[in-house]
Structure formats: structure tokens, C-alpha cells
């Protein structure tokens, strides 16, 4: 398997074998990190991280992974560069591609990261767009495999806003890897029809399946993994909260939802999560709408099924694998 020179923009671009190769590479690099074995094979390379939206995990993962691999890093925050404001994406890509060996981009429309990749001449890695969050997928699949020992054949249930980056990417990834993906949510929040059709076709080839349901009981029955994400994503206007809470409150991951699942079900969340009142937004929502927790209860988040911090740690090992595999030598 050779992915050198490839971009990492969305899961549709990768075969099941390529995805498994990235998961295996991440497991090997994680082992090296844990053993204290040096793996700074990319010494002399430099990368740039462009963030048009905020981040904790993704930024820190790219930085730590790059340092471990021996690379230099520049971070460009939403306010400090000319990108998109005074300089087009195509021009920015051609400038950065002359200086750096790889470019990470987190921002809004998927077409922006695709445009960046078209002109950069070096690998471009998608650190999240409105439509996709591919680096999160490798971390999530590694985490599931570490806990349950396999991926193909597992029932994976996504609850909440299934039209956005997380559910889109999870549906495609599960379908390619022979898993049984369920979007369990209000029908107004089911993934786009064309993506569902694509995922169903992939699942038909892999032995997996794709199901959409409004029933929590049917959706979560015998689930191996129950996953959720915030109800309102970065870049969405504040006004959508009210409607979102009304539409999605029945799809909170709580002990009732998990009661239908397998005894050893994993609870997963890409994070950050609203599971208590210890955040500014959590407090504001509490004052306006009276909710003390949102997409997941504190009980589940802190409970025995939750693997969210293993998942967060794996962001670093898997982002390292993506850079390691795609960087031309
Ligand atoms: N899961 C995730 O992408 O987290 P950040 O927004 O903190 O990078
Ligand atoms: N759907 C969320 C994911 C955060 C990692 C967002 O886009 O804000």
C-alpha cells in the first residue's frame, strides 16, 4: 500500500483497504510512542495548519504528531492570515505549497479544501469542514477496534444531527468497512439522500448496511456503538438552538437509549460535548431553555460505556498516521 502524495479530504476518496491501512499504521505508531521508540522519520519536512474554526483536539494532534515525526509546524489562526479575505484559496495554496510539505485545513465548505488541494502541489489534509471530518474517522475506528477487537459486522448507531460532517463521514466509513450504520434521529435530520444512496451501494459491496429510523428502541437495539455529536455545529447561527433542541431532544444519548444496546456497548463522541453546565454555552442554553445536559447525559458521558477520552487520544496517533502515510519521501 502506498498513499504517498495523496490528499486526505473525505472518506469517499478511500477504499476499505486504504482505510484499514491507515488504522494499522496508527496502531503501529501508537505502539512506538508508548514504547518510547523514536519515529522522527519526517525530519526536515514542514507543515502548515490553517484553522478558520476553533479547535482543541485537531490542532494539538497535528502539532504533537508533527513534532514526534520530526517536522516543523506553522499555525495560522482564523484572524491572522490573508487566506480568503485578501487572497484567493488558489493563490494561497500555490504560495503555501512552495514553502511547506503538507497543509492542514479546517473551515467551512468542502469545496474550499478541495480547491486548496487542487492548487497546492503537496498533500492537503481536511481537519474538518461542514460536510466531512475524515481524520476523526480513523481515530474512531481505531478506538472501536481496540475495545471490541473488530469492525466488520458491528452495529453502529448515530443519534442527533445526522446531516452534518460527523454523521456523513461515519456513515460512509461504516458502510465501506462492512459495519451496520443506523442514523437514529428526527427524519428532518437524516443524512442527504444522495449520500445515503452512495453509502448503501458501498455497504452492499462490503456486507454492511445503512438504516434510517426515528425509533430509539429499534435504532439502539443490540447496538455495539452509540455515537453522538453536538446538536449545533461550529459556524451555525445561534438562532438554530431552539429548533434543534425541539427536534433532537428525544435523541439524547441517555441510560434509556443504552438500555436497548448490547451490555458491552461503547458510547462515543468526537467532543467537545455538552454533558453538564461547566461551559459558557452550556450555561447560556440552561438559562434560555432549562436544559442541564444536551446530546448526552452526564451519567452516560462519565459512565462505564464511555470511551471518549481514548477516542480523543487516538486523534493524535491517527493524524500522525495520515501524515506519515501521505507525505512523499
Ligand atoms: N473532535 C474534534 O475535532 O475536536 P476539536 O474541535 O477540538 O478539534
Ligand atoms: N459537528 C461538530 C464537530 C466538532 C468536532 C462541528 O462541526 O462543530
Amino acid at each position: 500500500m502506498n498513499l504517498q502524495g495523496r490528499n486526505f479530504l473525505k472518506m469517499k476518496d478511500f477504499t476499505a483497504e486504504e482505510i484499514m491501512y491507515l488504522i494499522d499504521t496508527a496502531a503501529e505508531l501508537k505502539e512506538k510512542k508508548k514504547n518510547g521508540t523514536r519515529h522522527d522519520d519526517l525530519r526536515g519536512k514542514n507543515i502548515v495548519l490553517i484553522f478558520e474554526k476553533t479547535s482543541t483536539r485537531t490542532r494539538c494532534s497535528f502539532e504533537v504528531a508533527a513534532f514526534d515525526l520530526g517536522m516543523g509546524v506553522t499555525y495560522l489562526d482564523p484572524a491572522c492570515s490573508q487566506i480568503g479575505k485578501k487572497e484567493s484559496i488558489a493563490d494561497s495554496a500555490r504560495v503555501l505549497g512552495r514553502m511547506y510539505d503538507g497543509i492542514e485545513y479546517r473551515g467551512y465548505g468542502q469545496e474550499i479544501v478541495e480547491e486548496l488541494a487542487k492548487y497546492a502541489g503537496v498533500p492537503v489534509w481536511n481537519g474538518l469542514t461542514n460536510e466531512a471530518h475524515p481524520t476523526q474517522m480513523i481515530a474512531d475506528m481505531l478506538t472501536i477496534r481496540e475495545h471490541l477487537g473488530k469492525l466488520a459486522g458491528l452495529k453502529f448507531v448515530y443519534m442527533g444531527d445526522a446531516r452534518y460532517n460527523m454523521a456523513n463521514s461515519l456513515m460512509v466509513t461504516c458502510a465501506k468497512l462492512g459495519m451496520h450504520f443506523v442514523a437514529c434521529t428526527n427524519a428532518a435530520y437524516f443524512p442527504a439522500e444522495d449520500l445515503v444512496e452512495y453509502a448503501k451501494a458501498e455497504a452492499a459491496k462490503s456486507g454492511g448496511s445503512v438504516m434510517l429510523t426515528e425509533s430509539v428502541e429499534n435504532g439502539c437495539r443490540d447496538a455495539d456503538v452509540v455515537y453522538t455529536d453536538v446538536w449545533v455545529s461550529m459556524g451555525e447561527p445561534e438562532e438554530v438552538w431552539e429548533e434543534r433542541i425541539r427536534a433532537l431532544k428525544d435523541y439524547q444519548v441517555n441510560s434509556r437509549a443504552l438500555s436497548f444496546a448490547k451490555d458491552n456497548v461503547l458510547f462515543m463522541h468526537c467532543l467537545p460535548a455538552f454533558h453538564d453546565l461547566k461551559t459558557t454555552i452550556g450555561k447560556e442554553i440552561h438559562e434560555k431553555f432549562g436544559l442541564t445536559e444536551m446530546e448526552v447525559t452526564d451519567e452516560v458521558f462519565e459512565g462505564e460505556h464511555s470511551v471518549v477520552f481514548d477516542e480523543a487520544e487516538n486523534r493524535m496517533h491517527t493524524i500522525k498516521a495520515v501524515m506519515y502515510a501521505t507525505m512523499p519521501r
Side-chain angles (χ1 to χ4, degrees):
M1 182 73 65
N2 184 347
L3 301 182
Q4 287 181 29
R6 290 273 296 273
N7 299 308
F8 192 70
L9 304 180
K10 58 185 180 302
M11 299 314 289
K12 266 185 164 182
D13 299 341
F14 288 81
T15 64
E17 291 70 30
E18 289 169 342
I19 297 167
M20 292 310 294
Y21 170 74
L22 289 171
I23 298 169
D24 290 341
T25 303
E28 282 165 29
L29 290 166
K30 182 172 180 176
E31 186 78 11
K32 284 189 179 165
K33 174 93 176 177
K34 300 272 171 195
N35 292 338
T37 308
R38 268 179 78 164
H39 47 286
D40 52 349
D41 312 26
L42 299 182
R43 277 186 315 276
K45 308 267 188 198
N46 295 295
I47 63 166
V48 60
L49 312 180
I50 306 167
F51 279 83
E52 309 229 61
K53 290 175 177 169
T54 52
S55 168
T56 298
R57 276 146 293 274
T58 309
R59 176 187 174 179
C60 296
S61 295
F62 269 100
E63 292 208 13
V64 173
F67 298 146
D68 285 352
L69 292 170
M71 297 196 284
V73 182
T74 303
Y75 170 72
L76 295 179
D77 78 19
C80 81
S81 80
Q82 317 282 25
I83 299 168
K85 295 172 275 290
K86 283 174 71 180
E87 193 159 29
S88 69
I89 298 299
D91 291 355
S92 307
R94 285 176 288 182
V95 171
L96 296 173
R98 298 284 183 111
M99 299 184 192
Y100 293 95
D101 302 289
I103 302 173
E104 180 276 355
Y105 176 85
R106 164 173 288 197
Y108 295 87
Q110 181 70 17
E111 68 285 355
I112 300 172
V113 77
E114 302 274 350
E115 171 102 343
L116 200 59
K118 186 171 158 196
Y119 288 99
V122 297
V124 172
W125 308 297
N126 178 358
L128 179 145
T129 56
N130 295 343
E131 294 84 358
H133 197 5
T135 62
Q136 180 80 45
M137 296 307 107
I138 311 300
D140 293 347
M141 295 303 134
L142 175 65
T143 309
I144 297 170
R145 196 175 72 175
E146 285 174 346
H147 283 273
L148 300 179
K150 62 174 188 173
L151 294 168
L154 296 180
K155 179 171 178 181
F156 183 107
V157 182
Y158 181 92
M159 296 177 78
D161 181 0
R163 310 160 312 166
Y164 225 71
N165 41 27
M166 283 306 307
N168 288 347
S169 294
L170 286 165
M171 178 170 68
V172 170
T173 307
C174 289
K176 284 181 185 261
L177 299 185
M179 298 163 77
H180 302 290
F181 178 88
V182 180
C184 176
T185 190
N186 184 312
Y189 288 85
F190 284 162
E193 262 172 48
D194 56 340
L195 197 65
V196 172
E197 287 317 307
Y198 171 84
K200 281 188 174 167
E202 290 295 306
K205 289 186 259 170
S206 71
S209 62
V210 174
M211 181 178 121
L212 312 179
T213 180
E214 287 197 297
S215 160
V216 173
E217 187 169 347
N218 289 341
C220 291
R221 186 176 300 121
D222 295 327
D224 294 287
V225 179
V226 176
Y227 201 112
T228 191
D229 179 19
V230 289
W231 288 342
V232 176
S233 287
M234 289 183 276
E236 293 197 278
E238 238 180 81
E239 301 79 75
V240 301
W241 271 110
E242 189 168 357
E243 192 279 324
R244 213 51 69 75
I245 289 168
R246 197 175 326 111
L248 299 179
K249 65 179 182 332
D250 292 342
Y251 300 95
Q252 179 189 63
V253 181
N254 50 34
S255 52
R256 177 178 177 267
L258 292 195
S259 73
F260 303 118
K262 286 199 179 139
D263 291 343
N264 65 340
V265 64
L266 302 181
F267 166 69
M268 299 181 72
H269 191 311
C270 54
L271 305 183
F274 292 118
H275 59 96
D276 58 24
L277 296 178
K278 295 175 187 160
T279 63
T280 321
I281 294 179
K283 281 187 200 127
E284 279 170 17
I285 296 299
H286 175 62
E287 278 159 27
K288 273 197 198 152
F289 306 105
L291 272 69
T292 53
E293 38 202 10
M294 286 190 259
E295 71 274 10
V296 55
T297 59
D298 198 48
E299 185 188 10
V300 167
F301 187 89
E302 299 291 356
E304 53 173 346
H305 298 289
S306 178
V307 294
V308 295
F309 297 110
D310 293 341
E311 192 183 354
E313 177 191 329
N314 282 340
R315 295 298 309 289
M316 197 284 284
H317 305 298
T318 49
I319 280 173
K320 188 185 286 177
V322 169
M323 291 196 288
Y324 186 82
T326 56
M327 187 67 85
R329 317 285 207 278

